[in-house]
Structure formats: structure tokens, C-alpha cells
Amino acid sequence: MVGTDKETDKQIDSGAPREAEAAADVLIVRRARIPDVEEMLDLINGYARLGLMLPRGPKYAYENIRDFVVAEYTSADGRRQVVACGSLSVLWKDIAEIRSLAVHPQFRRKGLGARILRRLIEDARELGIKRVFAFAKEVGFFTRFGFTPRPREELPSKLWGECSCCPKYYECDEIGLMVELQS
Ligand SMILES: CC(C)(COP(=O)(O)OP(=O)(O)OC[C@H]1O[C@@H](n2cnc3c(N)ncnc32)[C@H](O)[C@@H]1OP(=O)(O)O)[C@@H](O)C(=O)NCCC(=O)NCCS
């Protein structure tokens, strides 16, 4: 089940602690902070190298740190790790974009992407945003949350700002998805 900020989960996966330790492990979703940036970029750029998302550098991450949320996993022995991140970028008065949504490979398919996405959508609602947009290769994740694929010609031009930074600009293989938020 998708939880809220500060919710504590049991250890979720193969980072691998033994069962006896599991109850002590903690997973929270919270706003990103400056010390998280290096780990966030490792996650994002790991997937960028596979062609799954846009690469990001420290300048982008620091300038936009307030847009990001992270999932932080603390193991039974007290070690902390950023295991997922994502951001909500406001583009205009009525629209915001989900960007850099990435879950550590060992923590995928455990509900973490859902927690991050719901938190970002909650942020959009609080801001009074009516529509949330995402570019993705794997639409199956987003469609579960009410996003629907939109033909390129229907996308407002302000959504293309990021695309001009993409090396695949002329041969884009991502799909634009949109969800209308109920007030
Ligand atoms: C896409 C991604 C963020 C999903 O995160 P996750 O933690 O693995 O997903 P969750 O476990 O929260 O899945 C939530 C639901 O979506 C489904 N889902 C997850 N990934 C899916 C996929 N690729 N295709 C279809 N459904 C998917 C899950 O089965 C689950 O469905 P359920 O509620 O019916 O059981 C993650 O796999 C990832 O980091 N991918 C690489 C980077 C990327 O493509 N980011 C998105 C573009 S910005």
C-alpha cells in the first residue's frame, strides 16, 4: 500500500537484511535535502545511461532541490541510503511535470515509485495545479495512476522545454502522459 510522508515501512527488499532484522529497518518518503544530491544523481544517471531518462548534473539538482522528494532507507545497523527520488516542476499556472522519477533497481516493484508519485501529486494539488504531465518510456506505471498517453500534437509547447536539452530530441522514444487532478 502506498503510504504518506514519515510513514515507516518494514524493510522492503533485497538490500538484504535477514528477517530478524527486518522490523528495525525504516523507510520514509520526505523532501530532498542538499546531502541527498549525490545519491539522487547516482540513481537518475544510472537510468540515464540506459537511455531511460534524461541525465542530470549537480547544478540542476541544487537549483531544483525544493522540487524533489526522496525515499530514504535506514537499515537495522543505522546505515542510510537514498533509494528513490522524483520531482515536480511547475511549468505554468495550470500544469506541472513529474521529472527524474527513479527507484533503486533493488527496490523496484515494491510500491516505492507509487509513494513518490503520490507525494508529488499531493504537492501539485496543494499548489492548485490542475494537470500533471510526465514523459516516460514505460507507460504502464503511470497509467495505473490515471495518466493517459497524449498525441504529440496535443501537447502544449511549454512541455517541450526540457526536450531541447535531450540528445534524442530528433528521435524521441518517450510518450507524453497527462492526468487531470480533481479539486
Ligand atoms: C518506473 C518506476 C519509477 C516504478 O517504480 P516502482 O517502485 O518499481 O513501482 P511500484 O512498485 O511503485 O509500482 C506501482 C504499480 O505500478 C506497476 N508498475 C511498476 N512498473 C511498471 C512498469 N514498468 N510497467 C507496468 N506497470 C508497472 C506495479 O506493478 C504496481 O502496480 P499494482 O499497484 O497494480 O501492483 C521504476 O521502475 C523506475 O525507477 N524505472 C526506471 C526509471 C523510469 O523509467 N522512470 C520513469 C520516467 S521519469
Side-chain angles (χ1 to χ4, degrees):
M1 197 174 86
V2 173
T4 55
D5 197 12
K6 302 231 164 67
E7 177 178 336
T8 299
D9 281 354
K10 291 201 167 158
Q11 130 72 22
I12 57 171
D13 179 53
S14 54
R18 297 186 304 272
E19 209 166 280
E21 296 170 330
D25 296 346
V26 173
L27 185 69
I28 60 169
V29 173
R30 59 163 172 79
R31 291 232 164 269
R33 297 194 286 259
I34 295 295
D36 301 323
V37 163
E38 212 173 315
E39 286 178 284
M40 285 162 40
L41 293 179
D42 278 350
L43 285 178
I44 295 165
N45 292 327
Y47 288 120
R49 279 191 289 278
L50 300 174
L52 289 175
M53 58 205 304
L54 271 183
R56 300 292 183 193
K59 181 175 190 294
Y60 179 90
Y62 292 129
E63 285 178 355
N64 296 284
I65 191 72
R66 283 172 289 210
D67 290 343
F68 276 88
V69 297
V70 296
E72 181 189 75
Y73 169 66
T74 306
S75 61
D77 60 7
R79 274 177 299 165
R80 287 164 192 253
Q81 184 186 358
V82 171
V83 293
C85 65
S87 70
L88 181 84
S89 295
V90 177
L91 301 177
W92 199 244
K93 63 179 181 179
D94 58 345
I95 193 158
E97 181 179 354
I98 303 288
R99 290 182 184 165
S100 303
L101 177 59
V103 176
H104 188 291
Q106 289 181 330
F107 287 75
R108 283 173 77 172
R109 297 287 184 136
K110 307 289 179 188
L112 256 190
R115 285 183 65 177
I116 297 275
L117 182 62
R118 287 189 179 160
R119 169 66 185 263
L120 296 172
I121 288 176
E122 210 175 286
D123 286 351
R125 276 213 177 83
E126 275 177 25
L127 285 164
I129 295 285
K130 299 272 187 289
R131 293 182 297 162
V132 175
F133 178 82
F135 275 115
K137 274 193 173 176
E138 300 178 354
V139 299
F141 171 74
F142 285 98
T143 54
R144 276 176 162 74
F145 299 90
F147 285 77
T148 51
R150 296 291 164 96
R152 261 155 212 284
E153 53 280 10
E154 277 183 25
L155 301 175
S157 54
K158 52 184 166 281
L159 298 183
W160 296 100
E162 279 285 282
C163 300
S164 61
C165 309
C166 180
K168 291 194 284 186
Y169 183 82
Y170 292 108
E171 45 194 35
C172 176
D173 52 3
E174 298 206 344
I175 296 163
L177 297 121
M178 189 94 78
V179 65
E180 309 278 337
L181 303 186
Q182 310 298 325
S183 42

